[in-house]
Amino acid sequence: MDEVRARIRAKHYSLRTEQAYLGWIREFILANGRRHPRTLGGPEVEAFLSRLAVERHVAASTQNQALSALLFLYREVLRIELPWMDSVLRAKRPRRLPTVLSVEEVRKLLSMLEGRTWLMASLLYGTGMRLMECLRLRVKDVDFARGEILVRNGKGGKDRRTVLPRTLEEPLRREIERARVLHALDLAEGFGETPLPDALSRKYPDAGREFGWQFVFPADRRAVDPRGGGVHRHHVDDAVLARALKRARAQAGIDKLLSAHTLRHSFATHLLEAGYDIRTIQELLGHKDVATTQIYTHVLNRGGRGVRSPLDG
């Protein structure tokens, strides 16, 4: 497992990917009587994946994640290229339309939030950022002068720019000032160094203590870095917003099941409704392929492909 962890970090995978892959590999080994993976092969992998689907009823995406972890183990760690690797079939993911809130539902939802959770939810809806992109936002990447936010290391390791809503400028400035006070307190107590991506901490040893590198939404407490081992003030936990959205949904009387990602879906759909072209929305969302963005045209169901019911005639 130490070899797996070292290889994952050498390839700069995220901490969440590391945790997920280690969990699936450990579960695979335990399911096969703690036998070494070198003694296992295609039949054991297929049987393991089948049990996930039949006995645990996991989603296709979860089953594919388990398969990716096992393929990583054999190809990247054990350096074994076996003929069964390419024959293992990935589960077919069903094509589902995303849940989208109406403008009025978004207004009701946000009105039930306050403080930091209101600001985070408003940023998700107002910028189209993913949840972790919002939580990992650094002070230096908020450009008030240009009215934009630079999203670093998004999905697929890509950077992109998105719009900074003017209505959020003052609340965001106040949140950054709050982060400044916490950072000054950390420095006074001998801490204040934030974890930097990749090898930047070696290239720029003092950068981690600069305020520009601090998180916009810092956690209330300092904690031990699970990778580097140092004591840092990380960003706020994603569960904080998840719990707040759950309460707000109930209070607003919204029956749709929603998550933080629902606000991103609503951002894209409402931009389409406002007449923005799909290429612009693709750039703001950071989609690699415009086909991914086109799913919102199905949600919208307007424009050239829109259909008017004959009953409404």
Side-chain angles (χ1 to χ4, degrees):
M1 300 304 290
D2 289 338
E3 292 177 24
V4 175
R5 185 178 291 105
R7 186 59 182 161
I8 289 175
R9 295 182 181 181
K11 294 183 72 68
H12 301 288
Y13 285 11
S14 70
L15 178 60
R16 293 195 167 204
T17 301
E18 175 183 322
Q19 293 169 339
Y21 277 22
L22 288 171
W24 285 121
I25 292 170
R26 183 180 296 109
E27 192 168 333
F28 174 66
I29 293 172
L30 293 176
N32 287 278
R34 297 179 180 269
R35 292 165 57 193
H36 196 282
R38 288 185 184 276
T39 66
L40 306 173
E44 288 81 7
V45 171
E46 291 184 348
F48 177 69
L49 296 175
S50 296
R51 283 198 297 273
L52 291 180
V54 176
E55 298 177 9
R56 291 172 51 178
H57 307 288
V58 302
S61 58
T62 304
Q63 191 179 13
N64 286 334
Q65 184 188 65
L67 174 58
S68 296
L70 297 180
L71 293 181
F72 181 89
L73 168 66
Y74 281 98
R75 286 175 172 161
E76 299 291 338
V77 181
L78 299 179
R79 307 287 184 178
I80 297 176
E81 284 286 349
L82 297 177
W84 54 264
M85 282 186 173
D86 295 325
S87 64
V88 177
L89 296 178
R90 291 185 177 273
K92 185 176 180 180
R93 296 182 62 179
R95 185 175 178 83
R96 302 190 187 281
L97 296 180
T99 299
V100 174
L101 301 178
S102 67
V103 175
E104 180 62 20
E105 286 172 330
V106 172
R107 187 193 64 78
K108 288 182 179 179
L109 183 72
L110 294 179
S111 69
M112 298 299 169
L113 298 169
E114 58 184 15
R116 303 178 80 191
T117 54
W118 170 84
L119 180 55
M120 288 188 286
S122 298
L123 272 175
L124 294 181
Y125 174 65
T127 66
M129 286 191 291
R130 299 175 178 90
L131 173 58
M132 296 310 299
E133 291 171 346
C134 175
L135 298 183
R136 292 170 181 161
L137 185 63
R138 311 268 184 164
V139 172
K140 66 181 183 61
D141 294 325
V142 180
D143 192 334
F144 290 104
R146 293 176 58 88
E148 64 183 24
I149 291 175
L150 180 56
V151 180
R152 299 279 188 182
N153 197 27
K155 192 172 183 179
K158 297 178 294 183
D159 294 352
R160 73 179 190 279
R161 297 182 189 276
T162 187
V163 61
L164 169 60
R166 293 297 181 184
T167 54
L168 296 182
E169 283 189 4
E170 283 307 311
L172 199 52
R173 288 183 189 275
R174 290 195 296 268
E175 187 64 28
I176 289 175
E177 284 306 309
R178 178 182 181 274
R180 190 188 301 275
V181 172
L182 285 176
H183 181 54
L185 177 63
D186 289 341
L187 290 175
E189 296 181 358
F191 298 96
E193 183 175 359
T194 191
L196 300 180
D198 300 331
L200 284 177
S201 57
R202 290 196 300 271
K203 190 174 182 180
Y204 306 107
D206 297 328
R209 293 180 175 273
E210 295 178 4
F211 180 62
W213 279 101
Q214 305 304 308
F215 293 109
V216 173
F217 298 103
D220 292 333
R221 303 184 189 87
R222 294 186 290 262
V224 177
D225 188 345
R227 283 189 166 179
V231 178
H232 306 291
R233 189 180 295 277
H234 210 58
H235 58 69
V236 67
D237 195 297
D238 59 329
V240 172
L241 182 57
R243 289 192 295 265
L245 286 175
K246 183 178 180 180
R247 290 193 300 268
R249 182 183 73 88
Q251 292 169 354
I254 299 174
D255 295 325
K256 299 175 183 175
L257 295 179
L258 60 87
S259 66
H261 212 67
T262 305
L263 296 171
R264 174 175 161 90
H265 293 320
S266 303
F267 163 84
T269 304
H270 296 167
L271 284 182
L272 277 174
E273 289 179 332
Y276 289 93
D277 67 276
I278 199 164
R279 289 287 184 180
T280 299
I281 298 171
Q282 177 193 1
E283 290 294 324
L284 292 174
L285 293 175
H287 286 160
K288 181 179 180 181
D289 192 340
V290 71
T292 307
T293 317
Q294 285 176 340
I295 191 172
Y296 298 110
T297 63
H298 298 292
V299 176
L300 187 62
N301 198 24
R302 294 183 183 177
R305 297 183 63 187
V307 176
R308 184 184 183 192
S309 169
L311 183 64
D312 293 331

